[in-house]
Amino acid sequence: MTDRKYKVCIWGISLVACMLAMKTFIVGRYFSVDDYSIFYYQSVAAALSDISAHMRIASNFVLALLSICGINIVEWQRVFGFLLLAAFAWAITQISSKLYIVLYTDAEKSLTRYIGVWGGTLILFINVFMSENLYFSGVYIQWMIGVFSMTYAVMYIGKNNEIWKNWLMGVIALFITMGSYQLFIAQYAYIVMAIIFIRNRGKICKDSILEVVRAIAAPAAALVLQVLCVRSLVFTGIIEENSSMGMQLAEIPNIILHILKMQKTIWIDGLGMYPRYVLIVGLMIIGCVLAFLMYKRKAGFGECIFVILVLLSGQCVTYMPEIVQGSLWMPPRMLFPIFGVYTVGIYLICYYLRDEETQIENTEVISQFKKIGGVCIALFLVYSCIKIDEVALDKVKTNAVTQVYVDEIVNRIEKYEAQSGIVVKKVGFCYDAYVDSMRYWKFLTSKASWQGNINENPFVRPWSAITSLTYHSGRNFQAVVVPKSVEEHYGALNWDNINWDEQLYFDNDAVYICVY
């Protein structure tokens, strides 16, 4: 089998794996709180509005072109969703193939070896934290571009020939990555550092140091280019100043302390998305196996330091957005790159188990050890697939419950119109004393205490309240501000269940809806 056919085969298997994990997100048109707004207000202006805030030049440029062509990304979400899964499968194939070539120099491919590398790469793209990003179909374009450019950046920076030409191509690819979804830089860091470590046999030498410097300099150069482009657009008046960079030097210690405290919530509690202790136990198993293999290989102090740097590289990059933005909020969609520590851990274990490199005899025990490791990876991926699908099914339920709620609201509006002879044209939303249910918990499969915005009730967000009502009702209501007296009246009350007679307040051609 030729190398091209081999890659096509691996791509097909990877696509099937991605489909099994994420199919429910893309088989129908399901809306997140942001999608309702994008469905009605996607335009060139809207597509460019957050460039200065998030520096997403590449993806927003594509969104602007799609808007001009009349292609609504939410309406076409199934198409873009499938293309995103195809991009995931392509990236998994390319990254796995690259690591395989770096790990094993023999020309003949071994299926057993490839499965280990491939399984590690799958964890980068199939984990439950990523499901929050999949929840927002409006980001499919951002992710598609980000996945492609990040993978190309790894391919170019990971080469050791025509260094400067490939470095420049890598900078361009990273510029596009930063202009779509910056967190993919963390995955780049993990993979490139693993490549550098393996190629230099874990030695901290002149060559490895220069490779690390070049690998770090590439995203730094891309970031400078990104900032210059954004500032030029602001200076020329094409976009408005709207920066989300809220970093204050005095606050950095507090933010770092908060990140350290969050490690318990992430690794022990799994953000409520994995069973308690599963993530930390998995991390400990990889760490212990890696330490045992390094001990058998008589790894020196420098090699141990190098391993630690590889394992921490992507972790450090993952938390940079919080530090730069001065944010203390870390939802799952900002933490999905942390699973790269499993990926590079598996890569390093494969490196130390290479027959031609290891000093451990290839006994039956080692063979069984490899099988057990493969089973553990498979179980982790299967569980992740189940949980991702669970989140997707809850998205379907959230949309269904919203439709039922809107149907009842419309029925009451139509009853009011029939009795009064007044057509309701205006809608305002307000809240009771304590809105404690951001989601329809009693209808959802998962009872996890999620940290992010997954499957929120669209009525709790101003930008999705009126648009979700418009979409599910088929009527074009005008959003209005609720009068102060009505707002104060409802603000003094508190409900735990629906009470339509009291939670709808009609005033001439307006209806005010209290969200409980």
Side-chain angles (χ1 to χ4, degrees), residues 122-356:
L122 275 179
I123 295 175
L124 270 177
F125 296 91
I126 300 180
N127 59 74
V128 188
F129 287 10
M130 288 188 74
S131 59
E132 186 180 14
N133 293 279
L134 294 167
Y135 164 64
F136 298 98
S137 64
V139 306
Y140 289 176
I141 293 291
Q142 297 172 8
W143 272 46
M144 203 183 312
I145 299 171
V147 166
F148 271 115
S149 56
M150 179 273 292
T151 305
Y152 273 114
V154 168
M155 297 299 106
Y156 286 121
I157 303 297
K159 292 180 179 180
N160 59 353
N161 63 322
E162 298 183 320
I163 292 172
W164 292 111
K165 175 185 175 182
N166 288 320
W167 185 83
L168 289 173
M169 294 299 293
V171 170
I172 294 171
L174 289 170
F175 172 81
I176 297 173
T177 303
M178 289 186 174
S180 55
Y181 208 84
Q182 293 88 352
L183 278 173
F184 282 122
I185 300 297
Q187 293 182 323
Y188 156 84
Y190 276 127
I191 300 165
V192 168
M193 287 293 289
I195 290 172
I196 294 171
F197 177 91
I198 295 167
R199 186 160 55 213
N200 290 278
R201 301 176 181 272
K203 297 177 182 178
I204 299 180
C205 57
K206 179 183 177 181
D207 288 341
S208 62
I209 291 173
L210 287 175
E211 288 186 47
V212 170
V213 169
R214 285 195 295 268
I216 295 173
L223 177 60
V224 171
L225 289 175
Q226 197 77 214
V227 172
L228 289 175
C229 287
V230 171
R231 299 311 304 170
S232 298
L233 291 172
V234 172
F235 180 77
T236 55
I238 296 176
I239 62 174
E240 297 180 358
E241 180 75 41
N242 182 23
S243 177
S244 63
M245 306 301 180
M247 180 177 67
Q248 297 181 2
L249 294 178
E251 292 299 317
I252 290 179
N254 291 332
I255 296 172
I256 293 175
L257 181 61
H258 177 75
I259 291 172
L260 293 175
K261 290 180 178 178
M262 274 291 294
Q263 299 309 299
K264 174 185 178 296
T265 305
I266 295 168
W267 295 105
I268 295 180
D269 300 334
L271 291 185
M273 305 182 79
Y274 281 96
R276 281 175 62 85
Y277 302 109
V278 164
L279 296 186
I280 189 65
V281 168
L283 194 63
M284 290 172 65
I285 291 174
I286 289 176
C288 290
V289 171
L290 197 53
F292 171 75
L293 293 173
M294 292 177 69
Y295 170 75
K296 289 294 185 179
R297 277 284 305 275
K298 297 180 173 58
F301 178 75
E303 189 170 340
C304 293
I305 295 298
F306 206 163
V307 166
I308 293 172
L309 290 176
V310 173
L311 294 173
L312 292 180
S313 58
Q315 291 285 318
C316 295
V317 177
T318 299
Y319 298 112
M320 283 306 296
E322 282 79 13
I323 296 173
V324 172
Q325 295 175 13
S327 171
L328 295 178
W329 187 56
M330 290 182 283
R333 66 176 180 271
M334 298 184 73
L335 295 172
F336 73 87
I338 67 169
F339 289 88
V341 73
Y342 296 128
T343 298
V344 296
I346 292 168
Y347 291 162
L348 295 178
I349 289 172
C350 290
Y351 165 72
Y352 284 114
L353 283 174
R354 293 189 308 187
D355 294 337
E356 66 273 22

Side-chain angles (χ1 to χ4, degrees), residues 383-402:
Y383 182 83
S384 296
C385 288
I386 293 171
K387 293 298 290 184
I388 291 171
D389 198 54
E390 184 178 289
V391 174
L393 288 172
D394 281 347
K395 182 180 183 181
V396 177
K397 292 178 182 179
T398 297
N399 280 201
V401 174
T402 300

